[in-house]
Amino acid sequence: MSSENIGKHAIPAGQENAHIKAADYDRLYAESVSDPEAFWGREGKRLDWIKPFTKVKNTDFTFGNVSIKWFEDGVLNVSVNCIDRHLPARADQTAIIWEPDDPKKPAQHITYAQLSENVNRMANVLRDLGVRKGDRVVIYLPMIPEAAYAMLACARIGAVHSIVFAGFSPDALANRINDSGARILITADTAPRGGRSTALKSNADQALLNCSDKVKCLVVKHTGEQTTWVDGRDIDLKALMADAGTECEPEPMGAEDLLFILYTSGSTGKPKGVVHTTGGYLVYAAMTHEYVFDYHDGDVYWCTADVGWVTGHSYIVYGPLANGATTLMFEGVPTWPDAGRFWEVCAKHKVNQFYTAPTAIRALMGKGPEFVEKHDLSSLRILGTVGEPINPEAWNWYDEHVGKGKCPIVDTWWQTETGGHMITPLPGATETKPGSATVPFFGVKPEILEPESARPVTGNPAEGVLCIADSWPGQMRTVWGDHERFMETYFQQYPGYYFTGDGCRRDEDGYYWITGRVDDVINVSGHRMGTAEVESALVAHEKVAEAAVVGYPHPVKGQGIYAYVTLMNGVEPTEELRAELEKWVRGEIGPIAKPDLIQWAPGMPKTRSGKIMRRILRKIAENDYGSLGDISTLAEPEVVDDLIENRMNRG
Ligand code: 6R9
C-alpha cells in the first residue's frame, strides 16, 4: 500500500493536557535544530547533577575524527537520578510493578523506597566483590526485578553493564563475556516463560567453560529449582544482599563515562558492543519517555520489551525511573495462558501507556478480537509500537480493538545506536498515518540521501537511505574496543552523516516511512539478526560447505530467516539433517536465529569473482523469481534454475 492512499488520522479527543501540542512541537523543533546549545542546555537540567555542566555539545561527524560528547564537564550518577532524588516525594509510590509469568502468582509492587534498598544492597555486594568504576558486569537474567536492580546497582558504583538477552545460547553469552572482559556474570537459576522453563544457570555453566576462570557467577535463586553449583565461583546473590548494607555511596560519574554496552547485530562480522554513556543518554531517555508517551505523574506505564534489548534499557528502566514513573515489568509472553494475557494485565494494573512490537500485534490479531474484548481496557490512553515497520492492517487493528479509536498511536522509529526515539509522533501534537513513524523528535535532523551519489534528496516526496545530519544526546559514542569499526560502520559511506542502515521514504507531507534495512541485517519479530552471523553458525557445522542467508516476508514475524545450504561432498540432504541444522543454529546463537526455511543448494549463484549474488537469493526467497534482473554475469547461470525449482517459499 502506498502512503499516498492513506489519509491522516486526526489526534483523538482528550489530549488537551498533553505535554506537547502541535504549536509547541513546531516551535520547539525549530529551536532544537537551530540552537541545540540552548535547547539541550535547558533539557539537561531535567537531571540532578553533582557538578552541573557548563558545556552542552561537542560533536564531530567527520570520518576519521568522529567524536561525540554531550554535557562533557558535568558530573552525575544515574542511580541517584532514577531513585534517590525521588525519595522525598515518592518513597511509597510504586516504581516497578512486576507481573510474573504465571497469572496465578501474585504481582509485586516495588516502591521507590524498596527499589532503593535493593539496589543499594546489590551495589554493596558488587563493590565488596571488588567491582570498581569502569569494570564490566554481564547480566544474563530473565524479566525479574533483579534485572533492574542489577542495572541500577552497576550504575550506582560506576560499573558498566552489558545485558545478554536470556534467549541467547551459551556460546553467544561466552563471546560477549570475553569481548567485554567482564569478571562478573549475574544470572538466575531458571527462567519461566509461557509456562516453560529455560535453564539459565546451566547455560551460564556451559558459557563459563569458555571464559576466564576469574569470572564469578552471581546467581539469583528465582524459582528455587536445583542447579549445579561450583564452589568458589558461584555465589548466591540474594543471600549476600540480605547481609549487605542498605546504603551504598554513589560513584560520581563524568557525563561521558560509560553506562552500558549492548551487543547488537550488524551487516558484517560478529555483533558489536554499542557503547552508551551517562549524561546524554539519560537526558534523552527521560525526555523521550515523558513526551512520546505523554507520561504524567501517577500514570502506569508498560513496555512489553525484554531488558535484553535496548527498548528495555531505555523504556522499561532508565527513562521511566528517571521520571519517577511507575513502570511495569512482565515476565511472561503475550499468548500464554491465552492470547488475552496482555489485555488481562492492562486491565489488572490499569495501564495507561502500552508499548509493544508489531510482531506481537500481528500474532494476537490472528487469534481474533474476542481475546481483547473480554478485558476492560478503559485505562489505556496511549499506544506505542517499536522494532519494525508496522503494516497498516496491524495498525488499524491496534487502533480499533485495543485503543477503541481513542488512543493516539506512537510508531517510534529508533535503534540500539540511537539510545532513544528518533522519528515518532507525539500524542498531543502529531496527526498519524498508519505505517509511518511520522516526524522527527526534537533535535533530530533526518536526511534522505541518494544511495549511490550520497547526495541529499531535497523536496518531497523523496526516497533513499536514511541518515542523520547532526548529533543528539542519546547517540552511541563508540563500538566497545573498536572506534575504527564505529567510524567505518556509521560515518564512512555517507560523509558528514550518521548512516542508519535503513531505507526510507518521505511523502508529500514530509512524513517519514521506514522501508526496512538496506544492509544485510534482517528483522525477525523486531529482533536484529545479521545474516553473516547465521551463515557463520551454519558453516561451523561439519556437514555444511557453504551457506547464504537472506530475509523473506513472514506474516507474523515481519521477516523470516531463509537459509540456502550447500552440503559437503557426499553428504545426503535429509529431513533429519534439516532438523539437525535448525537445532545447531539455535545452539550456536539462540532460538531467535533458527532458520524458518532451509533450502538445499547444490550451488550458489556467484559472480565470476566468486561473490554470492544475494539479490538473486533474496528474490527467490521472496517467491519473486520472475524478475531476477540481469543474471548474465553469473559464473554458472544454471544454478538459478535449480534454486527456483526447489524454492521453499511458495506463498
Ligand atoms: C529500538 C530497536 C533497529 C532497527 C532499525 C529499523 C527497525 C525499529 C522501527 C523500525 C520501522 C519502526 N525499526 N523501529 N522500523 N519502524 N518504528 O528496535 O532497536 O533492535 O537496534 O533495531 O529496527 O530497521 O534500524 P534495534
Side-chain angles (χ1 to χ4, degrees):
M1 197 181 301
S2 78
S3 57
E4 286 76 10
N5 301 329
I6 299 171
K8 278 189 187 174
H9 280 239
I11 298 167
Q15 305 304 315
E16 295 75 25
N17 292 326
H19 292 299
I20 308 286
K21 318 244 185 3
D24 304 321
Y25 172 77
D26 294 340
R27 177 175 50 82
L28 288 168
Y29 181 76
E31 186 207 7
S32 72
V33 292
S34 66
D35 192 356
E37 296 274 338
F39 182 86
W40 291 112
R42 213 167 52 234
E43 280 299 331
K45 298 205 175 87
R46 61 169 57 240
L47 301 184
D48 278 8
W49 298 81
I50 299 168
K51 177 179 165 290
F53 56 87
T54 64
K55 294 184 194 161
V56 175
K57 179 174 189 279
N58 179 7
T59 64
D60 187 350
F61 277 10
T62 318
F63 179 69
N65 224 3
V66 178
S67 161
I68 294 149
K69 292 182 179 151
W70 285 87
F71 314 111
E72 60 185 293
D73 60 347
V75 176
L76 74 166
N77 182 280
V78 165
S79 81
V80 170
N81 274 283
C82 291
I83 305 169
D84 305 43
R85 66 166 173 158
H86 305 314
L87 291 176
R90 302 183 193 275
D92 298 327
Q93 182 201 308
T94 300
I96 298 176
I97 299 173
W98 181 70
E99 173 69 28
D101 185 50
D102 182 349
K104 293 198 275 308
K105 295 212 168 114
Q108 281 179 31
H109 293 256
I110 299 147
T111 64
Y112 272 93
Q114 291 165 329
L115 179 66
S116 171
E117 181 181 327
N118 283 302
V119 168
N120 277 273
R121 284 182 190 274
M122 202 187 285
N124 276 323
V125 169
L126 293 174
R127 229 181 223 159
D128 290 348
L129 288 166
V131 180
R132 295 290 175 266
K133 178 175 172 178
D135 292 348
R136 277 79 58 208
V137 171
V138 170
I139 300 173
Y140 184 62
L141 284 175
M143 287 289 288
I144 55 178
E146 284 78 7
Y149 303 162
M151 295 165 77
L152 292 161
C154 287
R156 193 160 192 88
I157 63 171
V160 179
H161 61 71
S162 176
I163 305 190
V164 178
F165 174 56
F168 278 126
S169 69
D171 275 355
L173 174 61
N175 291 339
R176 286 156 176 78
I177 294 172
N178 293 334
D179 188 76
S180 67
R183 287 283 179 267
I184 300 277
L185 169 64
I186 305 180
T187 189
D189 42 16
T190 57
R193 255 184 114 232
R196 284 186 284 195
S197 163
T198 307
L200 276 193
K201 170 62 166 58
S202 136
N203 285 353
D205 287 337
Q206 276 185 59
L208 289 174
L209 294 175
N210 297 315
C211 300
S212 154
D213 57 14
K214 295 204 181 71
V215 180
K216 296 268 185 251
C217 185
L218 302 183
V219 184
V220 176
K221 293 193 173 171
H222 171 53
T223 56
E225 277 180 68
Q226 194 158 5
T227 67
T228 51
W229 203 260
V230 178
D231 284 328
R233 184 197 75 184
D234 297 347
I235 296 166
D236 179 342
L237 180 53
K238 282 191 188 170
L240 287 195
M241 281 171 68
D243 293 337
T246 56
E247 269 170 48
C248 177
E249 194 56 36
E251 188 76 31
M253 301 293 283
E256 287 301 337
D257 285 335
L258 269 63
L259 178 61
F260 66 85
I261 304 171
L262 183 57
Y263 286 83
T264 193
S265 297
S267 50
T268 54
K270 56 185 172 76
K272 45 186 177 293
V274 167
V275 168
H276 283 288
T277 58
T278 300
Y281 171 80
L282 196 64
V283 168
Y284 201 72
M287 179 186 176
T288 46
H289 172 262
E290 181 183 0
Y291 292 162
V292 174
F293 300 114
D294 196 39
Y295 188 87
H296 289 257
D297 244 8
D299 285 348
V300 174
Y301 159 90
W302 181 16
C303 163
T304 70
D306 191 284
V307 289
W309 311 114
V310 73
T311 307
H313 285 62
S314 300
Y315 299 115
I316 294 176
V317 177
Y318 289 122
L321 295 179
N323 290 333
T326 298
T327 178
L328 195 150
M329 209 174 165
F330 176 45
E331 189 183 32
V333 299
T335 47
W336 186 83
D338 69 31
R341 187 70 196 276
F342 272 179
W343 322 123
E344 182 215 323
V345 174
C346 283
K348 175 171 166 192
H349 297 294
K350 304 208 167 21
V351 170
N352 302 114
Q353 289 92 353
F354 178 75
Y355 189 34
T356 195
T359 185
I361 299 169
R362 286 191 298 265
L364 297 177
M365 191 167 104
K367 310 275 180 188
E370 53 278 16
F371 289 101
V372 191
E373 255 104 64
K374 46 176 194 231
H375 300 284
D376 173 8
L377 296 182
S378 57
S379 61
L380 287 176
R381 231 180 55 231
I382 311 282
L383 303 176
T385 71
V386 58
E388 50 176 320
I390 180 164
N391 47 315
E393 296 72 22
W395 196 103
N396 287 322
W397 186 87
Y398 199 30
D399 181 38
E400 184 183 330
H401 293 284
V402 181
K404 321 289 181 202
K406 292 188 196 144
C407 301
I409 297 183
V410 291
D411 172 355
T412 62
W413 174 82
W414 60 295
Q415 310 177 294
T416 306
E417 292 89 337
T418 70
H421 303 145
M422 296 290 280
I423 299 182
T424 176
L426 298 180
T430 320
E431 295 182 317
T432 51
K433 298 188 188 189
S436 169
T438 75
V439 294
F441 188 72
F442 301 130
V444 174
K445 288 168 85 170
E447 194 87 74
I448 291 182
L449 303 194
E450 264 173 31
E452 306 301 331
S453 69
R455 270 199 299 268
V457 189
T458 51
N460 297 333
E463 181 148 13
V465 295
L466 179 63
C467 290
I468 312 290
D470 199 359
S471 184
W472 63 99
Q475 186 172 23
M476 77 182 280
R477 303 303 197 249
T478 191
V479 169
W480 173 254
D482 199 345
H483 198 62
E484 283 301 312
R485 188 171 173 203
F486 174 58
M487 294 195 284
E488 285 162 11
T489 309
Y490 302 105
F491 298 93
Q492 186 167 29
Q493 209 173 340
Y494 300 100
Y497 294 93
Y498 165 78
F499 172 46
T500 65
D502 279 323
C504 186
R505 204 149 45 81
R506 190 171 53 217
D507 70 16
E508 33 298 296
D509 294 326
Y511 274 40
Y512 289 83
W513 300 74
I514 308 298
T515 53
R517 303 287 303 195
V518 295
D519 53 12
D520 289 320
V521 172
I522 50 186
N523 191 327
V524 185
S525 301
H527 301 315
R528 269 164 76 162
M529 190 51 55
T531 53
E533 266 173 88
V534 186
E535 286 164 7
S536 57
L538 282 166
V539 295
H541 190 282
E542 58 177 13
K543 292 182 179 156
V544 174
E546 193 163 36
V549 169
V550 296
Y552 73 101
H554 186 284
V556 173
K557 298 177 179 185
Q559 280 188 300
I561 301 179
Y562 193 119
Y564 295 88
V565 171
T566 307
L567 295 171
M568 292 288 188
N569 252 339
V571 176
E572 269 300 302
T574 60
E575 283 313 305
E576 290 71 46
L577 182 54
R578 210 193 291 272
E580 185 180 320
L581 291 182
E582 287 172 3
K583 194 162 156 241
W584 172 263
V585 176
R586 285 175 68 110
E588 292 280 299
I589 305 174
I592 55 173
K594 183 181 88 69
D596 296 279
L597 297 172
I598 295 179
Q599 176 171 357
W600 307 120
M604 297 286 182
K606 288 185 185 171
T607 61
R608 292 193 184 91
S609 62
K611 251 187 133 190
I612 295 181
M613 289 186 73
R614 289 166 178 286
R615 176 174 63 79
I616 292 174
L617 294 179
R618 259 185 233 121
K619 286 276 183 199
I620 297 173
E622 287 163 10
N623 200 26
D624 182 20
Y625 52 90
S627 57
L628 289 182
D630 183 9
I631 59 169
S632 62
T633 55
L634 285 179
E636 296 171 278
E638 331 62 87
V639 303
V640 173
D641 297 329
D642 179 89
L643 293 178
I644 292 174
E645 169 94 25
N646 295 302
R647 69 193 185 281
M648 303 289 291
N649 171 22
R650 289 163 189 265

